[in-house]
Amino acid sequence: MLGVDQSLPRRDEVELLQPGDLLLLYTDGLIERADTTITDRLEELRNASARASADNPDRFLDELLDRFAGNASDDIAMLALHIDHTPT
C-alpha cells in the first residue's frame, strides 16, 4: 500500500465468500468528496450496492459509476468479483 508507515502494526483479516457474494474493491476517488463526510459517502455506497445488480458485475459497476462518478475530482478504479458457484 502506498503511503503506509511500515513500522506501524498491521493485522490481516479473512472473510470467506459464499455463492452469490460480490466483492468490491475501489479507490478513494469513488467516495471522497469535499462537500460531505467519508462516513456519509460510505453509507451511500452501502445503500447503492445493496440496490445494484450484484449478479452482474459489469452492470453493478456501471450503476455505481452512474451514481458516484459525477463531480469526481479524483480518478476512480473499481474491481468487482462475483462468486457464482461453490468450487468443486
Side-chain angles (χ1 to χ4, degrees), residues 58-71:
D58 289 332
R59 190 173 331 134
F60 176 82
L61 293 174
D62 286 342
E63 290 173 14
L64 290 184
L65 274 178
D66 288 345
R67 170 69 179 89
F68 288 89
N71 299 326

Side-chain angles (χ1 to χ4, degrees), residues 4 27 29 31 34-35 41 48 50-51 61-63 72 74 79 81:
V4 174
T27 59
I31 57 170
D35 60 345
R41 291 292 285 185
R51 292 187 304 270
L61 293 174
D62 286 342
E63 290 173 14
D74 196 359
L79 173 69
L81 172 68

Side-chain angles (χ1 to χ4, degrees), residues 16-22 54-55 57 81-88:
L16 298 177
L17 299 175
Q18 303 297 319
D21 287 349
L22 186 135
D55 60 329
L81 172 68
H82 181 252
I83 308 300
D84 60 356
H85 67 281
T86 304
T88 55

